[in-house]
């Protein structure tokens, strides 16, 4: 409830001296007579009038409080809010090649990439997001959807070894573009994450970038991997998984050229914290446009409170002049 003139509510503080004076006057009592003992008076039965003797004052005090509230003009507030959201269609293209098991990220690159991408998805409420995984070839793990629960489940299922090993950046980008081709969203974005150099696939990365540009799709590229050497997975002569330190090679020139051509940006993430910072920055760069139209209407309620106060005063009048006077 809203008050149009709330300063009138300060008048309620007058109830304190009113109640104080009433209590003081009651304790003072009226006329008295001297008797030798009050035992008989104490044992005398108490009538209904005794129990109702304070009710008139309580009704007057309540009526005063209601009149003060009426003066403050209580109002019922009705808000009509219409929200128009211009969502963004986003495809996440994630490298799942064997090198994504490198341990320069904790616990490894692909797990870190999935965790950070999951947080990014959770922050994009209202946007349609899809998922592409690529290595030596590419496939769609999830089409564009607003169902975050299903998308998070499908993201968790991504792992290395699902498809032929290698790094087909062009194929991964082209598959993501294909998923956005039928989109009618005003903003279409691809976030492509990889840790290597394009060495497989039928589509060259720059060819895919030209298609993205023609489709009005911005591509943000992320190169993941520490500077220098990193422990990469390898199979030893006994068929066991081991890790060998190798030089980190990311084709930053191509990744930067893709992002520049399409109006996006290239980022380098050398650890999980920097990768999270990259996604946070992209999250800020690609904000959905929200238009809010608000209409507020006020309905006056003072008459209801005033009538309630008058009703109490009328009840007090009847009680004092008709009821209590007839009760012994």
């Amino acid at each position: 409830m809203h008050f149009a003139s709330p300063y009138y509510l300060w008048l309620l503080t007058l109830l304190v001296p009113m109640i104080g004076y009433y209590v003081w006057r009651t304790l003072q009592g009226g006329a008295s007579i001297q008797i030798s003992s009050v035992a008989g008076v104490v044992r005398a039965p108490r009538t209904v009038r005794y129990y109702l003797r304070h009710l008139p004052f309580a009704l007057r005090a309540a009526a005063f409080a209601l009149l003060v509230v009426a003066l403050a003009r209580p109002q019922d507030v009705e808000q009509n809010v219409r929200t128009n959201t211009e969502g963004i269609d986003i495809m996440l293209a994630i490298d799942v090649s064997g090198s994504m098991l490198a341990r320069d990220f904790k616990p490894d690159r692909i797990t870190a990439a999935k965790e950070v991408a999951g947080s990014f998805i959770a922050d994009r409420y209202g946007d349609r997001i899809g998922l592409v995984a690529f290595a030596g070839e590419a496939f769609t793990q999830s089409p564009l959807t607003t169902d975050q629960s299903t998308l998070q489940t499908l993201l968790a299922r991504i792992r290395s070894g699902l498809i032929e090993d290698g790094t087909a950046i062009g194929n991964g980008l082209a598959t993501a573009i294909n998923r956005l081709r039928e989109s009618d969203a005003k903003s279409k974005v691809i976030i492509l994450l990889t840790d290597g150099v394009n060495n497989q696939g039928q589509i060259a990365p720059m060819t895919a970038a030209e298609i993205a540009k023609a489709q009005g799709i911005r591509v943000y590229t992320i190169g993941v991997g520490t500077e220098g050497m990193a422990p990469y997975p390898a199979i030893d002569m006994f068929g066991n998984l081991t890790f060998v330190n190798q030089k980190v090679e990311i084709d930053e020139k191509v990744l930067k050229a893709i992002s520049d051509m399409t109006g996006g940006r290239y980022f380098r993430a050398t650890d999980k914290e920097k990768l999270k910072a990259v996604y946070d920055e992209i999250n800020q760069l690609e904000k959905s446009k929200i238009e809010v139209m608000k209409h507020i209407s006020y309905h006056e309620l003072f008459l209801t409170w005033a009538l309630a106060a008058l009703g109490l005063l009328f009840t007090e009048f009847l009680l004092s002049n008709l009821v209590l006077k007839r009760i012994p």
Side-chain angles (χ1 to χ4, degrees), residues 111-296:
T111 302
K114 287 161 58 177
E115 290 176 357
V116 176
S119 298
F120 175 82
I121 291 170
D123 288 339
R124 304 299 303 192
Y125 182 79
D127 292 328
R128 294 199 306 168
I129 302 177
L131 188 59
V132 167
F134 68 93
E137 54 189 71
F139 70 94
T140 300
Q141 179 76 348
S142 171
L144 290 167
T145 179
T146 57
D147 186 347
Q148 290 199 357
S149 178
T150 299
L151 190 60
Q152 295 281 12
T153 300
L154 293 172
L155 175 65
R157 292 178 182 174
I158 286 181
R159 60 182 176 82
S160 289
L162 289 175
I163 50 180
E164 178 187 355
D165 203 11
T167 305
I169 295 174
N171 281 29
L173 182 56
T175 302
I177 293 170
N178 190 50
R179 283 296 175 179
L180 289 170
R181 187 167 50 86
E182 301 298 330
S183 168
D184 56 359
K186 291 186 178 180
S187 294
K188 295 179 280 188
V189 172
I190 294 173
I191 303 175
L192 185 143
L193 180 147
T194 183
D195 68 343
V197 177
N198 187 76
N199 54 26
Q200 282 190 241
Q202 298 76 35
I203 302 175
M206 295 311 299
T207 301
E210 291 173 359
I211 298 172
K213 180 181 179 181
Q215 295 286 333
I217 300 171
R218 282 188 302 280
V219 181
Y220 293 94
T221 54
I222 304 173
V224 293
T226 189
E227 303 287 352
M229 308 291 286
Y232 281 82
I235 303 297
D236 63 15
M237 59 185 298
F238 302 105
N240 298 317
L241 178 66
T242 185
F243 290 89
V244 179
N245 281 329
Q246 296 182 13
K247 187 176 186 335
V248 176
E249 294 184 358
I250 300 174
D251 198 341
E252 293 188 287
K253 183 178 179 180
V254 168
L255 295 179
K256 189 174 187 307
I258 292 172
S259 60
D260 288 345
M261 178 180 291
T262 59
R265 283 180 59 183
Y266 168 69
F267 302 89
R268 177 69 183 270
T270 55
D271 55 43
K272 185 176 178 180
E273 287 68 31
K274 289 184 179 179
L275 180 60
K276 185 179 184 305
V278 167
Y279 272 99
D280 287 343
E281 186 169 348
I282 295 174
N283 193 25
Q284 293 299 318
L285 290 170
E286 294 295 339
K287 281 293 185 184
S288 299
K289 296 180 182 178
I290 300 176
E291 181 182 350
V292 178
M293 291 173 286
K294 183 182 291 187
H295 172 71
I296 302 176

Side-chain angles (χ1 to χ4, degrees), residues 44-105:
R46 294 179 176 178
T47 64
V48 174
R49 183 170 184 170
Y50 173 83
Y51 292 105
L52 296 180
R53 69 190 190 282
H54 299 303
L55 185 56
F57 173 76
L59 291 173
R60 288 193 297 270
F64 174 79
L66 292 176
L67 284 173
V68 170
V69 173
L71 282 174
R73 290 181 60 197
Q75 298 172 329
D76 185 24
V77 182
E78 182 180 347
Q79 296 188 20
N80 298 317
V81 179
R82 289 191 300 168
T83 302
N84 296 327
T85 303
E86 182 183 305
I88 300 174
D89 283 353
I90 303 172
M91 288 298 300
L92 304 180
I94 299 178
D95 190 341
V96 296
S97 59
S99 59
M100 286 291 288
L101 294 173
R103 297 296 176 87
D104 50 347
F105 283 59

Side-chain angles (χ1 to χ4, degrees), residues 37-47:
S37 173
V38 296
V41 178
V42 171
R43 289 194 300 269
R46 294 179 176 178
T47 64

